[in-house]
């Protein structure tokens, strides 16, 4: 049984993730929000206790916000303005391509990132939506199903594919924080994916689980490789020159993703699978702006 199929292990993972989310949070303080009433600074004015400014009274304004003390002094009706407090919108997208679960450590890190993101959003009081995506297909995952650990059956119908996740088919909400959890190991140009995360005033974040077995495999000799997406075997002899070309191509791939993410204003954090979760997330998460301290 894999971790994804073990409901009890997934529930335990969420308990641990609640602790991580109390130390490192999604970067809600980095932007103004529009949404339902909540605790974060909004993009307009509202009725919190945090006074912001005055303006002249206009027909249709709520008379309860008239500053009667100022009227007594000046004879002019003016309104008290307060900072609007809102609940952020968070759309979480989990890539469930087979390569995400190719190694035990990488599968663990991918599911830890998903649990952390869900718990951080819930602790903030955000309005949360989660999707599993494989190629052109996606599945909505309700928060209660995720927290129960019994969501494997909901994504099992998403057939593993070599296709790039198609994010423009997802009903992503305008102005939402959009968190994409993916190893980014697909051949499509980064812009095709990243543009969907930043469109319609979205705040894009990418968490990429990184496996040392992929970055520095140490191959030498004859191997039978199994394509994780198709399950088909491929026999190859790996010599030093071929290994060097692979490692160089791997580095260039992620250099392109980081450059494209910076261009689109998207925080991209590659999170090592072999290190302690909180330390690994903090290492690139804070510097990239993908997370912030509590």
């Amino acid at each position: 049984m894999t971790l994804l199929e073990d409901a009890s292990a997934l529930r335990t993972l969420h308990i641990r993730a609640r602790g991580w989310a109390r130390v490192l949070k999604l970067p809600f303080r980095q932007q103004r929000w529009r949404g339902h009433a909540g605790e974060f600074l909004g993009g307009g004015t509202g009725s919190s206790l945090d006074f912001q400014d005055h303006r002249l009274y206009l027909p249709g304004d709520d008379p309860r916000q008239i500053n009667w003390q100022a009227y007594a002094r000046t004879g002019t009706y003016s309104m008290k303005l307060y900072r609007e407090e809102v609940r952020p919108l968070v759309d979480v997208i989990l890539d469930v391509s087979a390569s995400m679960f190719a190694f035990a450590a990488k599968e663990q890190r991918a599911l830890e990132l998903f649990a952390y993101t869900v718990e951080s959003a819930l602790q903030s009081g955000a309005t949360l939506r989660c999707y599993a995506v494989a190629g052109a297909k996606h599945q909505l995952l309700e928060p209660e199903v995720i927290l129960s650990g019994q969501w494997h059956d909901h994504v099992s119908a998403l057939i593993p594919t070599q296709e790039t996740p198609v994010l423009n088919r997802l009903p992503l909400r305008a102005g939402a924080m959009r968190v994409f959890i993916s190893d980014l190991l697909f051949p499509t140009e980064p812009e095709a994916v990243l543009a969907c995360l930043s469109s319609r005033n979205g705040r894009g974040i990418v968490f990429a689980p990184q496996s040392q077995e992929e970055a520095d495999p140490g191959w030498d000799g004859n191997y039978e490789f199994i394509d994780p997406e198709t399950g088909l075997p491929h026999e190859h002899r790996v010599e030093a020159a071929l290994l060097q070309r692979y490692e160089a191509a791997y580095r260039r791939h992620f250099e392109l993703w980081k450059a494209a993410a910076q261009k689109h204003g998207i925080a991209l954090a590659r999170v090592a699978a072999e290190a302690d979760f909180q330390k690994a997330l903090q290492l690139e998460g804070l510097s990239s702006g993908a997370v912030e301290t509590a």
Side-chain angles (χ1 to χ4, degrees), residues 110-123:
L111 295 175
E112 286 172 342
L113 285 167
F114 184 54
Y116 160 78
T117 303
V118 168
E119 292 294 340
S120 184
L122 292 176
Q123 286 185 21

Side-chain angles (χ1 to χ4, degrees), residues 3-15 18 114 118-119 122 141-154:
L3 177 58
L4 181 59
E5 297 169 321
D6 190 337
S8 177
L10 289 178
R11 288 194 297 270
T12 300
L13 194 58
H14 275 273
I15 294 173
R18 288 167 200 158
F114 184 54
V118 168
E119 292 294 340
L122 292 176
L141 300 174
E142 298 292 348
E144 56 268 24
V145 173
I146 297 170
L147 296 177
S148 74
Q150 298 176 333
W151 53 277
H152 174 262
D153 290 343
H154 293 258

Side-chain angles (χ1 to χ4, degrees), residues 126-138:
T127 303
L128 176 67
R129 285 186 190 171
C130 299
Y131 302 93
V133 61
K137 296 183 178 180
H138 67 269

